[in-house]
Amino acid sequence: GLFRNYGPALVDNFIETLYVLIHEKTKEKQEGSHRVAAEIVAGMIRGSKYWTIEMLDEFWKKLTTFLNEVCLNLGPETLSYWASCFKLGLEDEDPRRMYRPIEYLRSLINTHATGNTFLETSRWYLLQTITNFEWRVPSIWCSINEQAKELLDHPYKAIRERITIVLSLSLTFDVTLPNGQSTRHPDVNQFIDMIRVRLQQAIEVYEKTPLANVSGQVVEIDPEARKALNFIETVIQLHTHLFSKCLQPIKKAIIRIFPYLCEIESIVANDDFIRKNLTITRMCVAMTYLHKHFMEELIEQLEQVCSSPKWHARRAAIEFIQNMIFCNLFNARPYAQRLRQLVF
């Protein structure tokens, strides 16, 4: 209310106080100080929505400098407060009036790698608050998607996990509407087809090059094989997130990538955690209601997998068929004979 009613008159006074709060040295007070600062900033952002352009330019020049300082001083205890700051500051607002905070959040992932895993994951975490605007910021989602998809083989697992969540959110709004297809948001089919090509390359690299070379007492990890395995693991997580977050997760490209989700079973066979995630991601497809045109294409892919020379892939496909039939009993009935031949 203060900033809405009195404009930027109080900004300078509060900015000085905010710097004091985020640089609190007393350990017991740091968390509370960040919480107070985050609530003040949220009030500033919400209160500034009716300011003039000149007032906003001046305000965001000061606030951007402050927020950059905040991002350098984030900790596990204070991150949630700043995420809530942006969430509450942007909640139920018109994105056209909030383009400055939106652009600031998007810019967080433009910074060069700092080597600090927590700070990098924190930036991706803060970026998630753009979901407040859902489908109303398609250009932002496209920009995020373009940048994030190049980082799927990032060396740090925590960062890859956060990237997969943001990527799945960027693909959430590619839906078929009653009056046609949404075309302004990132296209799931194009994205998954691109992933499929890269996944095939990663499989070839990993199968060609051993992950570890033992020479005497020294174990050397091959960087290309490690990168390929990182990508494979990330694709598994991304596929699962798509089904948990997307409004219409089943697309033709999801069916086309399915054989590769069976093929990598042999690669992750010795890693219980990844293997469990891979099983879950295949079950996401099996448990989804499959329309006739998807069912036909999926069975063709299953026939291809079941003729594969890889035993792990064939076993994964057979297990998948059993669950798919259970969840799509009536849809699968016209294909009973073909499915029986695959299983028996």
Side-chain angles (χ1 to χ4, degrees):
L2 285 174
F3 299 100
R4 182 186 62 214
N5 296 334
Y6 295 100
L10 302 174
V11 167
D12 288 338
N13 294 331
F14 274 95
I15 286 287
E16 292 177 10
T17 305
L18 289 172
Y19 275 104
V20 173
L21 287 170
I22 65 168
H23 290 115
E24 174 62 55
K25 300 298 182 184
T26 308
K27 191 171 183 180
E28 292 77 13
K29 295 182 179 180
Q30 285 177 352
E31 187 175 344
S33 296
H34 272 266
R35 182 173 182 175
V36 172
E39 290 182 6
I40 292 172
V41 172
M44 285 179 161
I45 293 173
R46 288 192 74 83
S48 67
K49 66 179 179 179
Y50 295 126
W51 293 2
T52 64
I53 292 177
E54 292 75 16
M55 292 160 67
L56 284 170
D57 286 341
E58 186 65 26
F59 168 62
W60 273 97
K61 190 183 297 182
K62 297 173 182 176
L63 190 61
T64 298
T65 304
F66 169 75
L67 291 175
N68 288 337
E69 188 74 16
V70 168
C71 289
L72 294 174
N73 289 276
L74 286 172
E77 301 83 9
T78 60
L79 175 60
S80 61
Y81 298 136
W82 289 103
S84 297
C85 163
F86 286 108
K87 182 178 184 299
L88 297 174
L90 303 176
E91 198 169 41
D92 300 324
E93 297 288 359
D94 186 338
R96 292 170 295 183
R97 292 187 178 276
M98 289 290 155
Y99 75 90
R100 287 176 178 83
I102 292 172
E103 187 57 35
Y104 175 77
L105 288 168
R106 193 201 62 78
S107 71
L108 289 177
I109 59 175
N110 291 341
T111 55
H112 296 293
T114 61
N116 187 319
T117 306
F118 176 77
L119 289 182
E120 290 193 47
T121 54
S122 298
R123 293 192 182 104
W124 286 96
Y125 181 73
L126 293 176
L127 182 63
Q128 287 178 229
T129 55
I130 290 181
T131 53
N132 274 346
F133 298 110
E134 298 182 334
W135 52 269
R136 294 176 291 169
V137 285
S139 61
I140 297 296
W141 287 126
C142 288
S143 174
I144 292 170
N145 185 276
E146 285 296 319
Q147 193 161 349
K149 69 184 182 182
E150 301 300 326
L151 301 172
L152 291 176
D153 54 3
H154 196 284
Y156 296 117
K157 182 177 180 180
I159 297 175
R160 294 199 307 272
E161 289 175 348
R162 190 55 57 186
I163 288 172
T164 58
I165 294 173
V166 173
L167 264 175
S168 62
L169 290 171
S170 74
L171 297 166
T172 298
F173 308 107
D174 178 22
V175 295
T176 302
L177 303 170
N179 61 343
Q181 179 75 25
S182 172
T183 57
R184 298 176 62 198
H185 291 85
D187 188 287
V188 173
N189 282 319
Q190 289 181 7
F191 178 80
I192 296 297
D193 282 337
M194 179 274 296
I195 292 294
R196 178 168 53 86
V197 173
R198 291 179 62 185
L199 182 59
Q200 183 179 7
Q201 294 170 350
I203 292 171
E204 291 172 356
V205 168
Y206 190 85
E207 291 179 341
K208 188 187 304 179
T209 311
L211 178 61
N213 294 317
V214 181
S215 177
Q217 295 182 344
V218 179
V219 179
E220 296 181 355
I221 304 297
D222 184 84
E224 289 301 316
R226 179 73 258 180
K227 199 173 180 180
L229 186 60
N230 288 346
F231 183 81
I232 291 169
E233 184 179 356
T234 307
V235 169
I236 294 170
Q237 291 180 329
L238 176 60
H239 193 275
T240 305
H241 285 311
L242 283 174
F243 278 83
S244 65
K245 300 184 185 304
C246 286
L247 302 175
Q248 296 175 353
I250 283 290
K251 305 284 185 182
K252 289 187 176 181
I254 293 288
I255 305 297
R256 289 193 288 269
I257 202 175
F258 183 80
Y260 297 96
L261 297 179
C262 296
E263 188 175 345
I264 58 181
E265 181 74 23
S266 57
I267 293 176
V268 303
N270 296 323
D271 190 315
D272 290 339
F273 180 76
I274 303 179
R275 182 163 52 82
K276 182 179 178 181
N277 286 341
L278 180 58
T279 302
I280 291 171
T281 200
R282 286 195 300 262
M283 289 307 104
C284 287
V285 180
M287 295 172 66
T288 304
Y289 182 86
L290 297 168
H291 291 281
K292 183 178 179 180
H293 58 287
F294 288 130
M295 182 68 74
E296 175 70 34
E297 192 169 346
L298 180 58
I299 290 175
E300 290 176 2
Q301 299 289 356
L302 287 168
E303 289 172 340
Q304 174 188 330
V305 175
C306 288
S307 62
S308 168
K310 296 182 178 180
W311 178 81
H312 285 93
R314 297 199 304 272
R315 187 189 67 174
I318 291 173
E319 290 177 353
F320 170 85
I321 290 170
Q322 294 171 346
N323 288 277
M324 182 195 71
I325 292 174
F326 182 81
C327 298
N328 288 271
L329 182 61
F330 298 103
N331 295 358
R333 185 170 292 175
Y335 308 97
Q337 188 60 36
R338 291 169 67 182
L339 291 170
R340 179 182 291 273
Q341 290 176 355
L342 294 179
V343 176
F344 298 104

